[in-house]
Amino acid sequence: MKKIVSILLAAVLVLSLAATAFAADGINADEEALLVKFCAAVDQYAEKSPAHAMQFKNEATSALMKLDLDAAACADLSAGIDKVVAYAEANGITTKAAAKDKAADVLALVNGLVAKYGISVSLSDTLYATVCFTAADGNGAANTDKASNGGAKIVKQTGVDMTATYAVAAVLVVALVFGMAVVTKKNLLSNN
């Protein structure tokens, strides 16, 4: 019985050491809706160049994994997607050649929309996108990074989830009560 209690307490200690606070990483619900809309817009043109479509979606996903956009910013950028799609339709961008001819205009439109959120987009000669953004690093200083870099320089800080800590504390309390019951039942605290 002592071995079982010892193993249980050792497991609880290991879990308590493993329950550290991590910086939040991921996409909130508003950003997720924005990404879904962006991907749908890109997919309208994906058959023209599947490689470009996939790269655009990957860049957007990588950027949103590190940026903190609130509901208002996401709504504004969502309206911006509508403007870019409307521009593409109005200017007959239906082929890869047409996209290349109008790339500078579309890029200027996109950068006009995203600049106020610390984001900039550039295109290579082969029309692959690079998304750069500025956000606060772990020390609160502004830092610029590329989305394709995964935002390695920038730590997204939005709070701490205490669920794991509470779970470990509950397991520790149960183990302590169980251990005390065993010690009392086996009379291990008696003085001889």
Side-chain angles (χ1 to χ4, degrees):
M1 186 55 116
K2 288 180 185 178
K3 289 181 183 179
I4 293 172
V5 172
S6 296
I7 291 171
L8 183 61
L9 288 175
V12 168
L13 288 174
V14 168
L15 288 173
S16 68
L17 292 174
T20 58
F22 293 100
D25 197 16
I27 298 176
N28 66 37
D30 294 319
E31 292 169 338
E32 180 67 31
L34 179 66
L35 182 60
V36 167
K37 184 171 185 172
F38 176 79
C39 290
V42 169
D43 286 342
Q44 291 177 1
Y45 302 94
E47 66 184 40
K48 312 293 187 247
S49 181
H52 285 92
M54 183 58 66
Q55 194 267 338
F56 291 170
K57 291 190 279 188
N58 288 340
E59 281 288 305
T61 302
S62 296
L64 288 174
M65 291 292 287
K66 289 296 176 180
L67 292 172
D68 281 328
L69 298 174
D70 61 11
C74 290
D76 186 38
L77 291 173
S78 179
I81 291 170
D82 293 336
K83 288 178 186 175
V84 172
V85 169
Y87 178 87
E89 290 171 355
N91 288 282
I93 301 176
T94 57
T95 65
K96 196 172 179 181
K100 192 167 188 171
D101 289 342
K102 296 287 186 179
D105 295 337
V106 172
L107 186 61
L109 179 60
V110 168
N111 279 320
L113 296 166
V114 300
K116 61 185 160 188
Y117 302 107
I119 305 169
S120 66
V121 180
S122 61
L123 289 174
S124 68
D125 292 338
T126 55
L127 298 183
Y128 286 101
T130 300
V131 177
C132 294
F133 48 90
T134 303
D137 66 10
N139 299 321
N143 211 338
T144 302
D145 206 352
K146 292 181 182 178
S148 56
N149 189 27
K153 295 181 188 175
I154 297 170
V155 178
K156 182 175 182 178
Q157 296 180 350
T158 58
V160 178
D161 182 8
M162 295 295 289
T163 306
T165 304
Y166 294 143
V168 170
V171 169
L172 185 57
V173 168
V174 169
L176 182 62
V177 169
F178 179 72
M180 288 303 295
V182 169
V183 166
T184 304
K185 185 173 183 175
K186 297 282 185 174
N187 210 12
L188 297 175
L189 293 177
S190 64
N191 292 330
N192 291 331

